[in-house]
Amino acid sequence: MKAQLAVTALFVFGTAAGATDVTVVGLFPNKVVVQVDGGPLRTLTPGQKTPEGVTVVAVDRDSATFEIDGKRSTLRMGQARIARSTPAVESVTLTADLKGHFTADGQVNGRTVHFLVDTGATVIALPSGEAKRLGVDYEKGQKVLMRTANGTGAGYLVKLDSVAVGSVTLYGVEAVVVEGAGLALPLLGMSFLNRMDMKREGNIMTLTKRF
């Protein structure tokens, strides 16, 4: 049987990380020649999987069936399909404590921290001792005067490399470091929360990443 050589189809499968382009270049008995994301040509048989995660399910005389992230598509001669999956949603669910406060375990620059969620705080706020523990060189930041419940004190505006709460991670997040005893614990303020869709139902709060 002669091999059928042609650019037969382009399959674009959207994933949370982006689109995967699969081009069928040739069909042989029980074999298919494919190009994934503009990479090298690969000759595959059913059951084989490319490094990009494209699995060949079956090959017929005039078509090939692929599986990408659990979804299948059969590409025939001269046929093109475009399919897009729903991007993965990054969200975290928080539960209020007995006082009605929401707290969250997270990370700052890859180090663990326990936040109090505070929609009244313009930015993330860190006590100076906690900032030192987290490796934040805050004294290089812009010095400002802070008003706290314990009076007026010095603070430093900084930008945190990363802030994570649950599966949600943001980069380049503004924060303030408060010196002295003016701040008892880290506050998860609006420099983080403004980039979330916040939904509260009773004692449950859901934060969903917007950008």
Side-chain angles (χ1 to χ4, degrees):
M1 182 183 295
K2 292 184 178 180
Q4 297 178 341
L5 292 174
V7 177
T8 60
L10 175 65
F11 178 80
V12 183
F13 189 96
T15 68
T20 299
D21 298 344
V22 180
T23 305
V24 175
V25 179
L27 290 169
F28 297 83
N30 209 39
K31 293 182 181 180
V32 59
V33 181
V34 298
Q35 184 181 44
V36 181
D37 289 339
L41 298 181
R42 295 189 178 95
T43 301
L44 305 172
T45 58
Q48 287 189 297
K49 186 175 183 178
T50 72
E52 297 84 1
V54 178
T55 301
V56 179
V57 177
V59 179
D60 297 323
R61 179 177 179 179
D62 58 357
S63 69
T65 301
F66 300 91
E67 181 174 279
I68 306 175
D69 291 343
K71 294 189 177 182
R72 293 189 179 189
S73 180
T74 299
L75 306 180
R76 301 180 182 279
M77 294 290 292
Q79 181 184 23
R81 289 187 181 182
I82 298 178
R84 296 191 180 276
S85 65
T86 302
V89 176
E90 297 181 47
S91 65
V92 60
T93 300
L94 308 176
T95 303
D97 60 20
L98 295 178
K99 295 181 179 179
H101 299 147
F102 288 93
T103 60
D105 290 320
Q107 293 184 332
V108 168
N109 298 349
R111 300 186 180 183
T112 59
V113 63
H114 188 70
F115 287 112
L116 172 66
V117 178
D118 188 355
T119 57
T122 304
V123 297
I124 287 175
L126 300 173
S128 57
E130 188 73 352
K132 291 177 181 177
R133 184 186 69 82
L134 296 169
V136 179
D137 190 5
Y138 63 87
E139 291 182 341
K140 292 183 179 180
Q142 178 185 348
K143 193 171 183 178
V144 294
L145 199 61
M146 301 290 300
R147 290 183 179 179
T148 69
N150 295 324
T152 302
Y156 296 84
L157 292 177
V158 298
K159 184 165 287 189
L160 305 175
D161 292 337
S162 65
V163 179
V165 177
S167 64
V168 178
T169 302
L170 300 182
Y171 299 94
V173 185
E174 292 182 344
V176 64
V177 176
V178 181
E179 286 195 323
L183 187 64
L185 72 168
L187 304 179
L188 189 67
M190 296 306 293
S191 56
F192 185 93
L193 298 174
N194 270 338
R195 293 161 69 176
M196 302 290 124
D197 283 326
M198 293 186 290
K199 182 180 180 181
R200 179 173 179 176
E201 295 180 355
N203 66 339
I204 301 297
M205 178 185 289
T206 302
L207 305 177
T208 303
K209 184 178 178 180
R210 293 192 292 114
F211 63 92

